[in-house]
Coordinates of all heavy atoms in Angstrom, one line a residue:
A37 N -16.8 16.3 -25.6 CA -15.7 16.2 -26.5 C -14.5 17.0 -26.0 O -14.7 18.2 -25.6 CB -16.0 16.6 -28.0
P38 N -13.3 16.5 -26.0 CA -12.2 17.3 -25.4 C -11.9 18.5 -26.3 O -12.0 18.5 -27.5 CB -11.0 16.3 -25.5 CG -11.4 15.3 -26.6 CD -12.9 15.2 -26.6
T87 N 9.2 -16.0 -20.9 CA 8.9 -14.6 -20.5 C 7.4 -14.4 -20.1 O 7.2 -13.8 -19.0 CB 9.3 -13.6 -21.6 OG1 10.6 -13.8 -21.9 CG2 9.1 -12.2 -21.1
P115 N -1.8 -2.7 14.0 CA -0.8 -1.9 14.8 C 0.3 -1.3 14.0 O 0.9 -1.9 13.1 CB -0.3 -3.0 15.8 CG -1.3 -4.1 15.8 CD -1.9 -4.1 14.5
L164 N 18.9 -21.0 -6.4 CA 17.8 -20.0 -6.6 C 17.8 -19.4 -8.1 O 16.9 -18.6 -8.5 CB 18.0 -18.8 -5.7 CG 17.2 -18.9 -4.4 CD1 17.4 -17.7 -3.4 CD2 15.6 -18.9 -4.7
S203 N -26.4 -6.0 5.8 CA -27.8 -5.9 6.3 C -28.8 -7.0 5.6 O -29.8 -7.3 6.2 CB -28.4 -4.6 6.0 OG -28.6 -4.4 4.5
L204 N -28.3 -7.6 4.5 CA -29.1 -8.7 3.9 C -28.6 -10.0 4.3 O -29.1 -11.1 3.8 CB -28.8 -8.5 2.4 CG -29.5 -7.3 1.7 CD1 -29.2 -7.3 0.2 CD2 -31.0 -7.3 1.9
V256 N 21.5 -9.4 -25.4 CA 22.7 -10.2 -26.0 C 22.7 -10.0 -27.6 O 23.8 -10.0 -28.1 CB 22.4 -11.7 -25.7 CG1 23.4 -12.6 -26.4 CG2 22.6 -11.9 -24.1
V383 N -10.2 10.0 -18.3 CA -11.3 10.0 -17.3 C -12.4 10.9 -17.7 O -13.6 10.6 -17.5 CB -10.6 10.4 -15.9 CG1 -11.7 10.5 -14.8 CG2 -9.6 9.4 -15.5
P404 N 12.8 -2.8 -23.0 CA 14.1 -2.6 -22.2 C 14.6 -1.1 -22.4 O 14.4 -0.5 -23.4 CB 15.0 -3.7 -22.8 CG 14.2 -4.6 -23.5 CD 13.0 -3.9 -24.0
G409 N 16.7 3.9 -25.2 CA 17.9 4.8 -25.3 C 18.3 4.8 -26.7 O 18.6 5.9 -27.3
P421 N 19.4 17.2 -33.7 CA 20.9 17.2 -33.2 C 21.2 18.1 -32.1 O 22.2 17.9 -31.4 CB 21.6 17.5 -34.5 CG 20.7 18.3 -35.3 CD 19.3 17.7 -35.0

Side-chain angles (χ1 to χ4, degrees):
T87 302
L164 263 178
S203 68
L204 294 175
V256 171
V383 176

